[in-house]
Amino acid sequence: MRNQSMNDGKFMRIAIMKAREGIRHGQAPFGACIVRKGKVLVSSHNAVFGHTDITAHAEINALHSACRKLGKIDLSDCVIYSTTEPCPMCFTACHWAKIPKVFYGTKIADAAKYGFSEWPISNRKMELLGKSKIRLVPGFMRKECLELFKEWTKRKGARAY
Amino acid sequence: MRNQSMNDGKFMRIAIMKAREGIRHGQAPFGACIVRKGKVLVSSHNAVFGHTDITAHAEINALHSACRKLGKIDLSDCVIYSTTEPCPMCFTACHWAKIPKVFYGTKIADAAKYGFSEWPISNRKMELLGKSKIRLVPGFMRKECLELFKEWTKRKGARAY
């Protein structure tokens, strides 16, 4: 149990490192890591500005890469670690991919506070409406994930969307 | 007014043709067309199987292409025509892109009836929860759009996800 928890921390730290890499390159402060059978499969940061693509959120990028890497669209043997609660776009993408468990740090409401035009629809709300069985682990390493927003605001030219 | 309506029909027909092109290539029966200032900007079909990417819905593909083509992430001067009501992933993507108006033919419930693992969360519901101002034009050319599902089921090896 303790090892599992330590591993979860390790995987979230990879998502955080990825978000930090994005921040350094002028991207929005979000990262995601997809793990399969205890091993990191892919990690991605938000690339909305870098790719000039409004859909290029960290989770969408990670799900895309994971599918391509495995050669399948069913990721039911994977877990995702997101620095921020996936937006309804990304959370629905997790549903489509059959991801059974989502760890996240900060909330959609935190991202909104920092200027992102989030729809205020929580994963819990989506889950209830969708009668979904995705397991949520909210607030995981929240403090470290919140730090990403603070680092991002210090960057010259930081902009939300 | 009549011309506008005729144009809307023309644009939806392009989405339908695109969906049909996808069906011929073994894809799921969904198409989308994005129009800017009265001209077709992009049209895409679902490519979940073709790209081995669970996020490659028609609307996500079209939004991605539109952003790349215009070199911007703000599509507030565009309108989207979808053969089926965008799923919550795609509809939230429309929100992020600031698309002000969405025309759609069949409903999420129709796609579910044909075997797609849709979350039963309508655009109207998402709009209310998100306090959004996206204008919806539901049931537009529904009969023609419904035909796509029928054509698709007749294909050997048709599969939903």
PDB file of all heavy atoms in Angstrom, chain A residues 71-85:
ATOM      1  N   GLY A  71      -0.970   1.140 -30.145  1.00  0.00           N
ATOM      2  CA  GLY A  71      -1.680   0.647 -31.324  1.00  0.00           C
ATOM      3  C   GLY A  71      -3.100   0.207 -31.018  1.00  0.00           C
ATOM      4  O   GLY A  71      -3.651  -0.686 -31.660  1.00  0.00           O
ATOM      5  N   LYS A  72      -3.713   0.830 -30.008  1.00  0.00           N
ATOM      6  CA  LYS A  72      -5.109   0.514 -29.671  1.00  0.00           C
ATOM      7  C   LYS A  72      -5.793   1.729 -29.024  1.00  0.00           C
ATOM      8  O   LYS A  72      -5.100   2.612 -28.502  1.00  0.00           O
ATOM      9  CB  LYS A  72      -5.184  -0.710 -28.752  1.00  0.00           C
ATOM     10  CG  LYS A  72      -4.464  -0.566 -27.419  1.00  0.00           C
ATOM     11  CD  LYS A  72      -4.668  -1.802 -26.527  1.00  0.00           C
ATOM     12  CE  LYS A  72      -4.113  -1.558 -25.135  1.00  0.00           C
ATOM     13  NZ  LYS A  72      -4.661  -2.423 -24.106  1.00  0.00           N
ATOM     14  N   ILE A  73      -7.118   1.723 -29.071  1.00  0.00           N
ATOM     15  CA  ILE A  73      -7.866   2.866 -28.519  1.00  0.00           C
ATOM     16  C   ILE A  73      -8.432   2.560 -27.140  1.00  0.00           C
ATOM     17  O   ILE A  73      -9.018   3.423 -26.504  1.00  0.00           O
ATOM     18  CB  ILE A  73      -9.017   3.302 -29.457  1.00  0.00           C
ATOM     19  CG1 ILE A  73      -9.960   2.121 -29.754  1.00  0.00           C
ATOM     20  CG2 ILE A  73      -8.466   3.878 -30.761  1.00  0.00           C
ATOM     21  CD1 ILE A  73     -11.259   2.521 -30.438  1.00  0.00           C
ATOM     22  N   ASP A  74      -8.268   1.350 -26.666  1.00  0.00           N
ATOM     23  CA  ASP A  74      -8.770   0.931 -25.359  1.00  0.00           C
ATOM     24  C   ASP A  74      -7.634   1.015 -24.334  1.00  0.00           C
ATOM     25  O   ASP A  74      -6.697   0.219 -24.373  1.00  0.00           O
ATOM     26  CB  ASP A  74      -9.308  -0.500 -25.470  1.00  0.00           C
ATOM     27  CG  ASP A  74      -9.866  -1.038 -24.152  1.00  0.00           C
ATOM     28  OD1 ASP A  74      -9.478  -0.534 -23.077  1.00  0.00           O
ATOM     29  OD2 ASP A  74     -10.683  -1.977 -24.196  1.00  0.00           O
ATOM     30  N   LEU A  75      -7.736   1.997 -23.455  1.00  0.00           N
ATOM     31  CA  LEU A  75      -6.681   2.186 -22.446  1.00  0.00           C
ATOM     32  C   LEU A  75      -7.180   1.767 -21.057  1.00  0.00           C
ATOM     33  O   LEU A  75      -6.826   2.384 -20.044  1.00  0.00           O
ATOM     34  CB  LEU A  75      -6.217   3.647 -22.433  1.00  0.00           C
ATOM     35  CG  LEU A  75      -5.745   4.233 -23.782  1.00  0.00           C
ATOM     36  CD1 LEU A  75      -5.288   5.685 -23.589  1.00  0.00           C
ATOM     37  CD2 LEU A  75      -4.608   3.416 -24.381  1.00  0.00           C
ATOM     38  N   SER A  76      -7.995   0.712 -21.025  1.00  0.00           N
ATOM     39  CA  SER A  76      -8.583   0.302 -19.751  1.00  0.00           C
ATOM     40  C   SER A  76      -7.552  -0.280 -18.793  1.00  0.00           C
ATOM     41  O   SER A  76      -7.853  -0.483 -17.615  1.00  0.00           O
ATOM     42  CB  SER A  76      -9.737  -0.684 -19.981  1.00  0.00           C
ATOM     43  OG  SER A  76      -9.303  -1.766 -20.771  1.00  0.00           O
ATOM     44  N   ASP A  77      -6.338  -0.532 -19.277  1.00  0.00           N
ATOM     45  CA  ASP A  77      -5.275  -1.003 -18.384  1.00  0.00           C
ATOM     46  C   ASP A  77      -4.313   0.137 -18.003  1.00  0.00           C
ATOM     47  O   ASP A  77      -3.195  -0.110 -17.557  1.00  0.00           O
ATOM     48  CB  ASP A  77      -4.509  -2.177 -19.028  1.00  0.00           C
ATOM     49  CG  ASP A  77      -4.011  -1.869 -20.433  1.00  0.00           C
ATOM     50  OD1 ASP A  77      -4.203  -0.721 -20.902  1.00  0.00           O
ATOM     51  OD2 ASP A  77      -3.425  -2.769 -21.069  1.00  0.00           O
ATOM     52  N   CYS A  78      -4.777   1.352 -18.164  1.00  0.00           N
ATOM     53  CA  CYS A  78      -3.928   2.524 -17.856  1.00  0.00           C
ATOM     54  C   CYS A  78      -4.561   3.396 -16.764  1.00  0.00           C
ATOM     55  O   CYS A  78      -5.759   3.334 -16.512  1.00  0.00           O
ATOM     56  CB  CYS A  78      -3.741   3.374 -19.105  1.00  0.00           C
ATOM     57  SG  CYS A  78      -2.845   2.539 -20.430  1.00  0.00           S
ATOM     58  N   VAL A  79      -3.717   4.216 -16.158  1.00  0.00           N
ATOM     59  CA  VAL A  79      -4.157   5.203 -15.160  1.00  0.00           C
ATOM     60  C   VAL A  79      -3.584   6.544 -15.603  1.00  0.00           C
ATOM     61  O   VAL A  79      -2.504   6.582 -16.201  1.00  0.00           O
ATOM     62  CB  VAL A  79      -3.614   4.819 -13.759  1.00  0.00           C
ATOM     63  CG1 VAL A  79      -3.918   5.903 -12.727  1.00  0.00           C
ATOM     64  CG2 VAL A  79      -4.193   3.487 -13.297  1.00  0.00           C
ATOM     65  N   ILE A  80      -4.318   7.632 -15.365  1.00  0.00           N
ATOM     66  CA  ILE A  80      -3.783   8.950 -15.731  1.00  0.00           C
ATOM     67  C   ILE A  80      -3.571   9.822 -14.489  1.00  0.00           C
ATOM     68  O   ILE A  80      -4.370   9.760 -13.547  1.00  0.00           O
ATOM     69  CB  ILE A  80      -4.670   9.650 -16.794  1.00  0.00           C
ATOM     70  CG1 ILE A  80      -3.948  10.852 -17.416  1.00  0.00           C
ATOM     71  CG2 ILE A  80      -6.003  10.093 -16.226  1.00  0.00           C
ATOM     72  CD1 ILE A  80      -4.576  11.386 -18.705  1.00  0.00           C
ATOM     73  N   TYR A  81      -2.478  10.560 -14.508  1.00  0.00           N
ATOM     74  CA  TYR A  81      -2.129  11.512 -13.450  1.00  0.00           C
ATOM     75  C   TYR A  81      -2.107  12.889 -14.093  1.00  0.00           C
ATOM     76  O   TYR A  81      -1.317  13.127 -15.021  1.00  0.00           O
ATOM     77  CB  TYR A  81      -0.742  11.189 -12.860  1.00  0.00           C
ATOM     78  CG  TYR A  81      -0.666   9.809 -12.232  1.00  0.00           C
ATOM     79  CD1 TYR A  81      -0.579   8.670 -13.027  1.00  0.00           C
ATOM     80  CD2 TYR A  81      -0.728   9.647 -10.851  1.00  0.00           C
ATOM     81  CE1 TYR A  81      -0.557   7.401 -12.458  1.00  0.00           C
ATOM     82  CE2 TYR A  81      -0.702   8.375 -10.275  1.00  0.00           C
ATOM     83  CZ  TYR A  81      -0.614   7.269 -11.083  1.00  0.00           C
ATOM     84  OH  TYR A  81      -0.600   6.015 -10.527  1.00  0.00           O
ATOM     85  N   SER A  82      -2.988  13.786 -13.637  1.00  0.00           N
ATOM     86  CA  SER A  82      -3.070  15.131 -14.211  1.00  0.00           C
ATOM     87  C   SER A  82      -2.770  16.161 -13.136  1.00  0.00           C
ATOM     88  O   SER A  82      -3.295  16.061 -12.029  1.00  0.00           O
ATOM     89  CB  SER A  82      -4.481  15.397 -14.750  1.00  0.00           C
ATOM     90  OG  SER A  82      -4.738  14.602 -15.875  1.00  0.00           O
ATOM     91  N   THR A  83      -1.982  17.163 -13.481  1.00  0.00           N
ATOM     92  CA  THR A  83      -1.653  18.169 -12.462  1.00  0.00           C
ATOM     93  C   THR A  83      -2.899  18.963 -12.071  1.00  0.00           C
ATOM     94  O   THR A  83      -3.019  19.399 -10.935  1.00  0.00           O
ATOM     95  CB  THR A  83      -0.530  19.109 -12.955  1.00  0.00           C
ATOM     96  OG1 THR A  83      -0.957  19.753 -14.162  1.00  0.00           O
ATOM     97  CG2 THR A  83       0.761  18.337 -13.212  1.00  0.00           C
ATOM     98  N   THR A  84      -3.822  19.148 -13.007  1.00  0.00           N
ATOM     99  CA  THR A  84      -5.106  19.815 -12.712  1.00  0.00           C
ATOM    100  C   THR A  84      -6.248  18.897 -13.134  1.00  0.00           C
ATOM    101  O   THR A  84      -6.127  18.155 -14.117  1.00  0.00           O
ATOM    102  CB  THR A  84      -5.206  21.167 -13.454  1.00  0.00           C
ATOM    103  OG1 THR A  84      -4.160  22.029 -12.991  1.00  0.00           O
ATOM    104  CG2 THR A  84      -6.540  21.861 -13.205  1.00  0.00           C
ATOM    105  N   GLU A  85      -7.330  18.951 -12.399  1.00  0.00           N
ATOM    106  CA  GLU A  85      -8.557  18.211 -12.739  1.00  0.00           C
ATOM    107  C   GLU A  85      -8.854  18.367 -14.233  1.00  0.00           C
ATOM    108  O   GLU A  85      -8.966  19.495 -14.720  1.00  0.00           O
ATOM    109  CB  GLU A  85      -9.705  18.808 -11.910  1.00  0.00           C
ATOM    110  CG  GLU A  85     -11.051  18.139 -12.067  1.00  0.00           C
ATOM    111  CD  GLU A  85     -12.116  18.822 -11.191  1.00  0.00           C
ATOM    112  OE1 GLU A  85     -11.861  19.926 -10.665  1.00  0.00           O
ATOM    113  OE2 GLU A  85     -13.211  18.231 -11.050  1.00  0.00           O
TER     114      GLU A  85
END
